[in-house]
Amino acid sequence: MGQIKMFLLKYKKSVAYALNILCILAAFVLAFALRFDFQIPTVHWNTILLLSLPLLLVKLLTFRMTGAFAGWWRYVSLADVAGIFRANLIASAFFALLVAVTIRLDNVPRSILLLDAILCFLLICGIRFVTRAFREDYLNFFGRRKGDRKNILIVGAGQAGQAIVREIRLNRELRKAVVGFIDDDPDKLGSSLQGVPVLGATEQLPQLCRRYAIDKILIAIPSATGRQMRKIVERCKGTGVLFMTLPGVGELLEGKVSVSQIREVDVQDLLGRKPVRLDVAKIDAMIRGRKILVTGAAGSIGSEICRQVASFGAKELFLYEHAESPLFQLELELSESFPDVRLHAIVGDVRDAARVNNAFERHLPDVVFHAAAYKHVPMMEKNPAEGAKTNVFGTRNVANAADRYGCESFVMVSTDKAVNPTNIMGASKRAAELYVQALSTISKTRFETVRFGNVLGSAGSVVPTFKQQIKNGGPVRVTHPDITRFFMTIPEATQLVLQAGTMGSGGEIFLLDMGESVKIVHLAEELIRLSGFRPYEDIDISFTGLRPGEKLYEELLLAGEGVRPTAHEKIMVAAAAECDRELLLVKLEELYQCVRVMDKLGVRCKLMEIVPEFRSPEEVNCVAHLHKVATTGATSNRLAADKL
């Protein structure tokens, strides 16, 4: 069967012409047979032989000139039938004229010419519809096994729903079968469209899903209003079955999407540029056969780093994470996907120096990827001591352990919010950058920092938040109409982190060329469209105002950070900033004392001393506050040289 299929695909035009010729000749012979009750006289056999060649020439030439042979049989429609009818009528009339002029009509009964025209039309159309019927499984009397397909229920028995049925039948690789339609139009209930029954109304969705073992629901009502769509979505939610929606009819008509493209929203659709692909050969050389430790292993970035590291063939992978349940799930996933990689799930907090040191002393990793951090700006504004405890001192604990136990490479994940920060989250990450760069000057370990923008699809980022708001019927909440951000995908972010481990001599900050920044309101509008709705009509967008510590735009570089290209065209490197290491250690110890006593304003003020470019509304209160703290002895000025 496979060889026959390959032959037909290779010579499909020749096969099509041969079948058309066969239909033309068969119709002519059958016309004589019907005229003489299937007992054709010998004299008329001679007429058949005499006229066969002129008949073929006339009809083939006419069919070709009128384009009747141009259509694909697998997509034959009423428009094709009309074209074949017109071409056949012209050809039959011309052939009749030819017979009348060159041969006495007494030898060719007039009924033969009429029967030939009718039969030729029926045979040529029939062979096309049989081909389509086979392609769309109408002639599959035995059906498919349930294990080979997914059962689909389509909400909406209009043109869009019927288009989905045709697409699924034509595309067998989808391995889906449409069980039925759901429609609230009482005139359609009990009818059959495209050979698919209309099973009931939307209120019957839960019962019908259970009865027919439905795997997925497709909502195909592009003309539905926002209120109607929300009602349908609520009923789909009650089924517990995965459901998707067809894009708007305008997008279908403009050719932007097709029914074969129904899928969940892909975050790459929102990127506004092609994803960057990095040099995996160098990453492979760094990872393969080595012992790798990842902090924040179960987070959005950390978990993807773990997957990438495992795929590159690490010898051992140490998953350091304080959240027990996500760590359990990650270990289970990796153990199933990468059975050859030795996994070690370590429950621990980077803020616990003893636990960090214990893990390093016991396992002696070669490379460390430090992804553990608090990242939500508004949350850290309310909890500054916790932000500094994790982002600054958690980083200090892990970096110190990497230096103490002789790791070859340490890569820290940072953020564009560390550049000219206006919030605790950004300032704490900048302070961590400074510490890592300072440690790099005296350590044999190669310390690198990776700085990138917002990560599309990461936990708590705008995309999952917006998707949930769209799912709830809106509004989508944007802080400011002019706010912009740099974006990258999770694979881009993790590959950049891995790439940084193969580059530089120590102390550098690596940046990804992320193109132009993206307006958040445009991101929200595009996400609404990709979800099958119309912005400001079906789903509204509201503006809530900038949150505490939030900037209108982010930057990737500080003034004075000289940027130079690297071997990869999309990666830049910023030189290590000069820093008084001894003074930094003193200031960090003072910050630690503020954290220890939960002095929120003190934490903010000390971060402003460590990160001079940090600007905060509390700046005017810092001088008086720190003077008060100093006089009461709450802040220690002990040197912290032993910390390195």
Side-chain angles (χ1 to χ4, degrees), residues 600-638:
K600 292 183 178 182
L601 183 56
V603 168
R604 189 178 297 274
C605 296
K606 280 300 172 185
L607 280 173
M608 293 181 69
E609 289 185 2
I610 296 168
V611 183
E613 61 272 18
F614 176 30
R615 290 293 175 262
S616 169
E618 302 290 343
E619 186 174 0
V620 295
N621 300 321
C622 283
V623 175
H625 178 77
L626 291 178
H627 176 73
K628 178 181 178 181
V629 170
T631 56
T632 58
T635 302
S636 171
N637 287 324
R638 291 177 299 162

mmCIF file of all heavy atoms in Angstrom, residues 600-638:
data_model
loop_
_atom_site.group_PDB
_atom_site.id
_atom_site.type_symbol
_atom_site.label_atom_id
_atom_site.label_comp_id
_atom_site.label_asym_id
_atom_site.label_seq_id
_atom_site.Cartn_x
_atom_site.Cartn_y
_atom_site.Cartn_z
ATOM 1 N N LYS A 600 12.708 47.902 58.343
ATOM 2 C CA LYS A 600 12.346 48.080 56.937
ATOM 3 C C LYS A 600 12.972 49.330 56.327
ATOM 4 O O LYS A 600 13.542 49.292 55.236
ATOM 5 C CB LYS A 600 10.830 48.133 56.782
ATOM 6 C CG LYS A 600 10.123 46.828 57.082
ATOM 7 C CD LYS A 600 8.623 46.966 56.821
ATOM 8 C CE LYS A 600 7.906 45.654 57.076
ATOM 9 N NZ LYS A 600 6.444 45.775 56.785
ATOM 10 N N LEU A 601 12.836 50.458 57.033
ATOM 11 C CA LEU A 601 13.401 51.692 56.499
ATOM 12 C C LEU A 601 14.925 51.617 56.473
ATOM 13 O O LEU A 601 15.568 52.110 55.536
ATOM 14 C CB LEU A 601 12.928 52.886 57.332
ATOM 15 C CG LEU A 601 13.378 54.270 56.843
ATOM 16 C CD1 LEU A 601 12.937 54.494 55.396
ATOM 17 C CD2 LEU A 601 12.829 55.366 57.760
ATOM 18 N N GLY A 602 15.495 50.977 57.493
ATOM 19 C CA GLY A 602 16.946 50.815 57.525
ATOM 20 C C GLY A 602 17.448 49.994 56.348
ATOM 21 O O GLY A 602 18.491 50.305 55.758
ATOM 22 N N VAL A 603 16.726 48.925 55.991
ATOM 23 C CA VAL A 603 17.098 48.111 54.837
ATOM 24 C C VAL A 603 17.102 48.956 53.572
ATOM 25 O O VAL A 603 18.049 48.928 52.771
ATOM 26 C CB VAL A 603 16.130 46.918 54.673
ATOM 27 C CG1 VAL A 603 16.326 46.236 53.325
ATOM 28 C CG2 VAL A 603 16.318 45.923 55.801
ATOM 29 N N ARG A 604 16.059 49.743 53.393
ATOM 30 C CA ARG A 604 15.956 50.590 52.201
ATOM 31 C C ARG A 604 17.099 51.604 52.151
ATOM 32 O O ARG A 604 17.713 51.829 51.101
ATOM 33 C CB ARG A 604 14.602 51.297 52.200
ATOM 34 C CG ARG A 604 14.276 52.030 50.915
ATOM 35 C CD ARG A 604 12.873 52.653 50.997
ATOM 36 N NE ARG A 604 11.848 51.631 51.139
ATOM 37 C CZ ARG A 604 11.292 50.999 50.109
ATOM 38 N NH1 ARG A 604 11.672 51.286 48.876
ATOM 39 N NH2 ARG A 604 10.365 50.090 50.316
ATOM 40 N N CYS A 605 17.392 52.198 53.302
ATOM 41 C CA CYS A 605 18.426 53.233 53.343
ATOM 42 C C CYS A 605 19.813 52.653 53.115
ATOM 43 O O CYS A 605 20.642 53.259 52.429
ATOM 44 C CB CYS A 605 18.366 53.968 54.686
ATOM 45 S SG CYS A 605 16.819 54.866 54.946
ATOM 46 N N LYS A 606 20.085 51.484 53.679
ATOM 47 C CA LYS A 606 21.393 50.857 53.486
ATOM 48 C C LYS A 606 21.586 50.418 52.036
ATOM 49 O O LYS A 606 22.682 50.494 51.486
ATOM 50 C CB LYS A 606 21.559 49.672 54.435
ATOM 51 C CG LYS A 606 21.944 50.061 55.836
ATOM 52 C CD LYS A 606 23.287 50.809 55.841
ATOM 53 C CE LYS A 606 23.608 51.379 57.206
ATOM 54 N NZ LYS A 606 24.860 52.200 57.162
ATOM 55 N N LEU A 607 20.502 49.939 51.411
ATOM 56 C CA LEU A 607 20.602 49.585 49.990
ATOM 57 C C LEU A 607 20.906 50.824 49.155
ATOM 58 O O LEU A 607 21.619 50.742 48.142
ATOM 59 C CB LEU A 607 19.305 48.927 49.515
ATOM 60 C CG LEU A 607 19.137 47.446 49.865
ATOM 61 C CD1 LEU A 607 17.739 46.956 49.490
ATOM 62 C CD2 LEU A 607 20.197 46.587 49.157
ATOM 63 N N MET A 608 20.401 51.990 49.554
ATOM 64 C CA MET A 608 20.699 53.218 48.839
ATOM 65 C C MET A 608 22.164 53.608 49.000
ATOM 66 O O MET A 608 22.749 54.209 48.099
ATOM 67 C CB MET A 608 19.787 54.346 49.330
ATOM 68 C CG MET A 608 18.312 54.129 48.976
ATOM 69 S SD MET A 608 17.235 55.456 49.531
ATOM 70 C CE MET A 608 17.753 56.763 48.448
ATOM 71 N N GLU A 609 22.781 53.251 50.125
ATOM 72 C CA GLU A 609 24.207 53.509 50.304
ATOM 73 C C GLU A 609 25.048 52.550 49.457
ATOM 74 O O GLU A 609 26.050 52.945 48.859
ATOM 75 C CB GLU A 609 24.592 53.359 51.782
ATOM 76 C CG GLU A 609 24.058 54.469 52.670
ATOM 77 C CD GLU A 609 24.573 54.346 54.094
ATOM 78 O OE1 GLU A 609 25.371 53.409 54.360
ATOM 79 O OE2 GLU A 609 24.200 55.172 54.935
ATOM 80 N N ILE A 610 24.628 51.277 49.411
ATOM 81 C CA ILE A 610 25.373 50.263 48.653
ATOM 82 C C ILE A 610 25.202 50.476 47.156
ATOM 83 O O ILE A 610 26.144 50.305 46.371
ATOM 84 C CB ILE A 610 24.900 48.849 49.055
ATOM 85 C CG1 ILE A 610 25.214 48.591 50.528
ATOM 86 C CG2 ILE A 610 25.532 47.780 48.163
ATOM 87 C CD1 ILE A 610 24.547 47.346 51.092
ATOM 88 N N VAL A 611 23.991 50.855 46.748
ATOM 89 C CA VAL A 611 23.662 51.062 45.325
ATOM 90 C C VAL A 611 23.319 52.539 45.155
ATOM 91 O O VAL A 611 22.155 52.928 45.279
ATOM 92 C CB VAL A 611 22.479 50.164 44.900
ATOM 93 C CG1 VAL A 611 22.191 50.318 43.411
ATOM 94 C CG2 VAL A 611 22.735 48.706 45.256
ATOM 95 N N PRO A 612 24.308 53.389 44.865
ATOM 96 C CA PRO A 612 24.078 54.840 44.826
ATOM 97 C C PRO A 612 23.009 55.269 43.819
ATOM 98 O O PRO A 612 22.346 56.285 44.018
ATOM 99 C CB PRO A 612 25.453 55.401 44.430
ATOM 100 C CG PRO A 612 26.424 54.341 44.808
ATOM 101 C CD PRO A 612 25.717 53.038 44.623
ATOM 102 N N GLU A 613 22.827 54.485 42.749
ATOM 103 C CA GLU A 613 21.845 54.870 41.727
ATOM 104 C C GLU A 613 20.411 54.519 42.124
ATOM 105 O O GLU A 613 19.461 54.832 41.395
ATOM 106 C CB GLU A 613 22.181 54.229 40.378
ATOM 107 C CG GLU A 613 22.191 52.716 40.353
ATOM 108 C CD GLU A 613 23.548 52.094 40.719
ATOM 109 O OE1 GLU A 613 24.384 52.816 41.311
ATOM 110 O OE2 GLU A 613 23.743 50.915 40.403
ATOM 111 N N PHE A 614 20.243 53.829 43.275
ATOM 112 C CA PHE A 614 18.914 53.460 43.763
ATOM 113 C C PHE A 614 18.194 54.708 44.248
ATOM 114 O O PHE A 614 18.682 55.428 45.114
ATOM 115 C CB PHE A 614 19.053 52.431 44.881
ATOM 116 C CG PHE A 614 17.757 52.028 45.544
ATOM 117 C CD1 PHE A 614 16.549 52.030 44.850
ATOM 118 C CD2 PHE A 614 17.747 51.623 46.876
ATOM 119 C CE1 PHE A 614 15.366 51.654 45.465
ATOM 120 C CE2 PHE A 614 16.572 51.239 47.497
ATOM 121 C CZ PHE A 614 15.368 51.262 46.783
ATOM 122 N N ARG A 615 17.014 54.972 43.694
ATOM 123 C CA ARG A 615 16.201 56.104 44.100
ATOM 124 C C ARG A 615 14.889 55.608 44.675
ATOM 125 O O ARG A 615 14.228 54.762 44.080
ATOM 126 C CB ARG A 615 15.935 57.030 42.911
ATOM 127 C CG ARG A 615 17.184 57.773 42.449
ATOM 128 C CD ARG A 615 17.632 58.769 43.526
ATOM 129 N NE ARG A 615 18.887 59.420 43.174
ATOM 130 C CZ ARG A 615 20.077 59.029 43.638
ATOM 131 N NH1 ARG A 615 20.155 57.993 44.452
ATOM 132 N NH2 ARG A 615 21.172 59.683 43.297
ATOM 133 N N SER A 616 14.510 56.164 45.845
ATOM 134 C CA SER A 616 13.321 55.702 46.545
ATOM 135 C C SER A 616 12.596 56.891 47.160
ATOM 136 O O SER A 616 13.234 57.878 47.558
ATOM 137 C CB SER A 616 13.705 54.708 47.644
ATOM 138 O OG SER A 616 12.609 54.443 48.493
ATOM 139 N N PRO A 617 11.268 56.832 47.264
ATOM 140 C CA PRO A 617 10.520 57.913 47.934
ATOM 141 C C PRO A 617 10.933 58.118 49.385
ATOM 142 O O PRO A 617 10.697 59.176 49.954
ATOM 143 C CB PRO A 617 9.061 57.445 47.842
ATOM 144 C CG PRO A 617 9.025 56.494 46.693
ATOM 145 C CD PRO A 617 10.363 55.813 46.710
ATOM 146 N N GLU A 618 11.541 57.091 49.985
ATOM 147 C CA GLU A 618 11.936 57.172 51.392
ATOM 148 C C GLU A 618 13.304 57.827 51.571
ATOM 149 O O GLU A 618 13.809 57.909 52.696
ATOM 150 C CB GLU A 618 11.974 55.765 52.008
ATOM 151 C CG GLU A 618 10.651 55.016 51.931
ATOM 152 C CD GLU A 618 9.614 55.617 52.846
ATOM 153 O OE1 GLU A 618 9.980 56.385 53.754
ATOM 154 O OE2 GLU A 618 8.414 55.315 52.663
ATOM 155 N N GLU A 619 13.903 58.307 50.482
ATOM 156 C CA GLU A 619 15.266 58.835 50.548
ATOM 157 C C GLU A 619 15.398 59.976 51.557
ATOM 158 O O GLU A 619 16.379 60.061 52.304
ATOM 159 C CB GLU A 619 15.676 59.319 49.153
ATOM 160 C CG GLU A 619 17.126 59.768 49.068
ATOM 161 C CD GLU A 619 17.524 60.092 47.635
ATOM 162 O OE1 GLU A 619 16.669 59.954 46.729
ATOM 163 O OE2 GLU A 619 18.683 60.466 47.420
ATOM 164 N N VAL A 620 14.411 60.839 51.608
ATOM 165 C CA VAL A 620 14.499 62.008 52.506
ATOM 166 C C VAL A 620 14.506 61.601 53.972
ATOM 167 O O VAL A 620 14.967 62.357 54.836
ATOM 168 C CB VAL A 620 13.326 62.976 52.239
ATOM 169 C CG1 VAL A 620 13.425 63.576 50.843
ATOM 170 C CG2 VAL A 620 11.986 62.272 52.407
ATOM 171 N N ASN A 621 13.982 60.405 54.274
ATOM 172 C CA ASN A 621 13.911 59.975 55.675
ATOM 173 C C ASN A 621 15.143 59.191 56.112
ATOM 174 O O ASN A 621 15.269 58.861 57.291
ATOM 175 C CB ASN A 621 12.675 59.099 55.893
ATOM 176 C CG ASN A 621 11.395 59.837 55.567
ATOM 177 O OD1 ASN A 621 11.276 61.014 55.859
ATOM 178 N ND2 ASN A 621 10.444 59.132 54.958
ATOM 179 N N CYS A 622 16.022 58.862 55.156
ATOM 180 C CA CYS A 622 17.107 57.935 55.469
ATOM 181 C C CYS A 622 18.165 58.531 56.386
ATOM 182 O O CYS A 622 18.650 57.861 57.308
ATOM 183 C CB CYS A 622 17.766 57.454 54.179
ATOM 184 S SG CYS A 622 16.772 56.203 53.330
ATOM 185 N N VAL A 623 18.559 59.771 56.159
ATOM 186 C CA VAL A 623 19.629 60.370 56.964
ATOM 187 C C VAL A 623 19.230 60.403 58.434
ATOM 188 O O VAL A 623 19.981 59.963 59.317
ATOM 189 C CB VAL A 623 19.954 61.792 56.452
ATOM 190 C CG1 VAL A 623 20.979 62.456 57.381
ATOM 191 C CG2 VAL A 623 20.488 61.732 55.029
ATOM 192 N N ALA A 624 18.040 60.916 58.716
ATOM 193 C CA ALA A 624 17.570 61.003 60.100
ATOM 194 C C ALA A 624 17.421 59.617 60.711
ATOM 195 O O ALA A 624 17.783 59.392 61.880
ATOM 196 C CB ALA A 624 16.250 61.756 60.155
ATOM 197 N N HIS A 625 16.924 58.678 59.927
ATOM 198 C CA HIS A 625 16.696 57.337 60.454
ATOM 199 C C HIS A 625 18.008 56.649 60.798
ATOM 200 O O HIS A 625 18.152 56.067 61.887
ATOM 201 C CB HIS A 625 15.925 56.507 59.433
ATOM 202 C CG HIS A 625 15.691 55.093 59.875
ATOM 203 N ND1 HIS A 625 14.731 54.750 60.804
ATOM 204 C CD2 HIS A 625 16.326 53.922 59.550
ATOM 205 C CE1 HIS A 625 14.763 53.451 61.021
ATOM 206 N NE2 HIS A 625 15.717 52.924 60.262
ATOM 207 N N LEU A 626 18.984 56.727 59.906
ATOM 208 C CA LEU A 626 20.252 56.045 60.153
ATOM 209 C C LEU A 626 21.013 56.699 61.308
ATOM 210 O O LEU A 626 21.717 56.021 62.068
ATOM 211 C CB LEU A 626 21.100 56.037 58.877
ATOM 212 C CG LEU A 626 20.554 55.155 57.742
ATOM 213 C CD1 LEU A 626 21.441 55.252 56.513
ATOM 214 C CD2 LEU A 626 20.443 53.703 58.195
ATOM 215 N N HIS A 627 20.876 58.006 61.460
ATOM 216 C CA HIS A 627 21.511 58.674 62.595
ATOM 217 C C HIS A 627 20.915 58.193 63.910
ATOM 218 O O HIS A 627 21.626 57.917 64.882
ATOM 219 C CB HIS A 627 21.339 60.194 62.465
ATOM 220 C CG HIS A 627 21.887 60.946 63.638
ATOM 221 N ND1 HIS A 627 23.242 61.098 63.854
ATOM 222 C CD2 HIS A 627 21.249 61.574 64.685
ATOM 223 C CE1 HIS A 627 23.442 61.780 64.964
ATOM 224 N NE2 HIS A 627 22.237 62.079 65.491
ATOM 225 N N LYS A 628 19.594 58.019 63.905
ATOM 226 C CA LYS A 628 18.912 57.523 65.100
ATOM 227 C C LYS A 628 19.344 56.103 65.423
ATOM 228 O O LYS A 628 19.594 55.754 66.585
ATOM 229 C CB LYS A 628 17.406 57.589 64.887
ATOM 230 C CG LYS A 628 16.584 57.062 66.050
ATOM 231 C CD LYS A 628 15.098 57.141 65.755
ATOM 232 C CE LYS A 628 14.279 56.558 66.897
ATOM 233 N NZ LYS A 628 12.814 56.605 66.597
ATOM 234 N N VAL A 629 19.435 55.274 64.383
ATOM 235 C CA VAL A 629 19.840 53.884 64.585
ATOM 236 C C VAL A 629 21.253 53.808 65.133
ATOM 237 O O VAL A 629 21.566 53.023 66.032
ATOM 238 C CB VAL A 629 19.726 53.102 63.257
ATOM 239 C CG1 VAL A 629 20.370 51.729 63.384
ATOM 240 C CG2 VAL A 629 18.268 52.958 62.856
ATOM 241 N N ALA A 630 22.143 54.665 64.590
ATOM 242 C CA ALA A 630 23.544 54.638 65.020
ATOM 243 C C ALA A 630 23.672 55.025 66.484
ATOM 244 O O ALA A 630 24.463 54.440 67.234
ATOM 245 C CB ALA A 630 24.368 55.585 64.148
ATOM 246 N N THR A 631 22.898 56.005 66.914
ATOM 247 C CA THR A 631 23.006 56.460 68.299
ATOM 248 C C THR A 631 22.452 55.457 69.287
ATOM 249 O O THR A 631 22.862 55.412 70.442
ATOM 250 C CB THR A 631 22.268 57.802 68.481
ATOM 251 O OG1 THR A 631 20.905 57.642 68.069
ATOM 252 C CG2 THR A 631 22.925 58.893 67.641
ATOM 253 N N THR A 632 21.487 54.637 68.831
ATOM 254 C CA THR A 632 20.923 53.636 69.735
ATOM 255 C C THR A 632 21.708 52.331 69.695
ATOM 256 O O THR A 632 21.402 51.404 70.453
ATOM 257 C CB THR A 632 19.464 53.338 69.367
ATOM 258 O OG1 THR A 632 19.399 52.889 68.006
ATOM 259 C CG2 THR A 632 18.613 54.583 69.519
ATOM 260 N N GLY A 633 22.676 52.234 68.799
ATOM 261 C CA GLY A 633 23.527 51.038 68.741
ATOM 262 C C GLY A 633 22.888 49.860 68.070
ATOM 263 O O GLY A 633 23.365 48.735 68.220
ATOM 264 N N ALA A 634 21.790 50.109 67.326
ATOM 265 C CA ALA A 634 21.109 48.983 66.676
ATOM 266 C C ALA A 634 21.862 48.471 65.468
ATOM 267 O O ALA A 634 21.685 47.338 65.059
ATOM 268 C CB ALA A 634 19.698 49.405 66.261
ATOM 269 N N THR A 635 22.716 49.337 64.910
ATOM 270 C CA THR A 635 23.458 48.927 63.719
ATOM 271 C C THR A 635 24.914 48.721 64.078
ATOM 272 O O THR A 635 25.537 49.595 64.664
ATOM 273 C CB THR A 635 23.351 49.997 62.621
ATOM 274 O OG1 THR A 635 21.983 50.189 62.321
ATOM 275 C CG2 THR A 635 24.076 49.550 61.359
ATOM 276 N N SER A 636 25.456 47.581 63.731
ATOM 277 C CA SER A 636 26.847 47.254 64.028
ATOM 278 C C SER A 636 27.735 47.667 62.872
ATOM 279 O O SER A 636 27.355 47.563 61.713
ATOM 280 C CB SER A 636 26.984 45.753 64.275
ATOM 281 O OG SER A 636 28.353 45.407 64.366
ATOM 282 N N ASN A 637 28.930 48.145 63.193
ATOM 283 C CA ASN A 637 29.910 48.506 62.158
ATOM 284 C C ASN A 637 31.040 47.485 62.078
ATOM 285 O O ASN A 637 32.141 47.790 61.642
ATOM 286 C CB ASN A 637 30.505 49.890 62.444
ATOM 287 C CG ASN A 637 29.512 51.001 62.153
ATOM 288 O OD1 ASN A 637 28.749 50.887 61.209
ATOM 289 N ND2 ASN A 637 29.524 52.045 62.971
ATOM 290 N N ARG A 638 30.748 46.288 62.530
ATOM 291 C CA ARG A 638 31.794 45.264 62.488
ATOM 292 C C ARG A 638 32.237 45.006 61.063
ATOM 293 O O ARG A 638 31.409 44.892 60.170
ATOM 294 C CB ARG A 638 31.280 43.964 63.095
ATOM 295 C CG ARG A 638 31.050 44.030 64.595
ATOM 296 C CD ARG A 638 30.468 42.708 65.082
ATOM 297 N NE ARG A 638 29.190 42.470 64.431
ATOM 298 C CZ ARG A 638 28.609 41.287 64.364
ATOM 299 N NH1 ARG A 638 29.195 40.234 64.867
ATOM 300 N NH2 ARG A 638 27.434 41.159 63.770
#
